[in-house]
Amino acid sequence: MTTKILLVCAAGMSTSMLVSKMKKTAEADGIDAEIQATAASDAGNVIEEMHPDVLMLGPQVRYMEDDFKKRVDIPVEVINMQDYGLMKGDNVLKSALALVGQK
């Protein structure tokens, strides 16, 4: 089963780099994951189209966490600031998978 992970940030740019690192880790570890990034302004549309299993927010949009938690019925978490800043895709992937009950 494919795990769908959506990353949301202010403009979708910085998370795009993180997505590519997460995809490399998933591929290397044999994890079936669909990982996508979007800007906060378009997140609602992407959530409707993608139906993600988990929503990860960039630290710069952490103020939106409560709003997303009210709007979606999936786990929502702010990405660890250090993992985000250092683009540690492996750690962010592990966090996302843990939220949906996978290792």
Side-chain angles (χ1 to χ4, degrees):
M1 185 176 100
T2 303
T3 302
K4 296 180 179 184
I5 303 167
L6 180 61
L7 275 58
V8 176
C9 76
M13 300 298 277
S14 50
T15 48
S16 293
M17 291 185 288
L18 189 54
V19 164
S20 92
K21 292 184 180 237
M22 290 171 71
K23 285 181 176 179
K24 284 180 185 168
T25 299
E27 197 174 307
D29 293 348
I31 297 167
D32 186 10
E34 177 185 334
I35 309 166
Q36 194 173 324
T38 190
S41 60
D42 199 35
N45 294 329
V46 177
I47 289 167
E48 278 186 36
E49 290 171 19
M50 181 184 183
H51 302 288
D53 298 305
V54 62
L55 190 62
M56 303 291 287
L57 305 178
Q60 71 273 43
V61 293
R62 75 176 334 117
Y63 66 93
M64 302 175 96
E65 183 179 12
D66 288 338
D67 181 50
F68 276 113
K69 284 183 175 179
K70 290 175 190 165
R71 292 194 301 161
V72 298
D73 194 24
I74 58 172
V76 177
E77 187 171 282
V78 176
I79 299 168
N80 175 288
M81 193 176 296
Q82 191 170 8
D83 289 341
Y84 189 87
L86 296 173
M87 291 286 145
K88 294 208 172 239
D90 55 339
N91 288 350
V92 178
L93 179 62
K94 282 180 201 165
S95 295
L97 294 173
L99 286 171
V100 292
Q102 296 180 16
K103 292 185 178 181

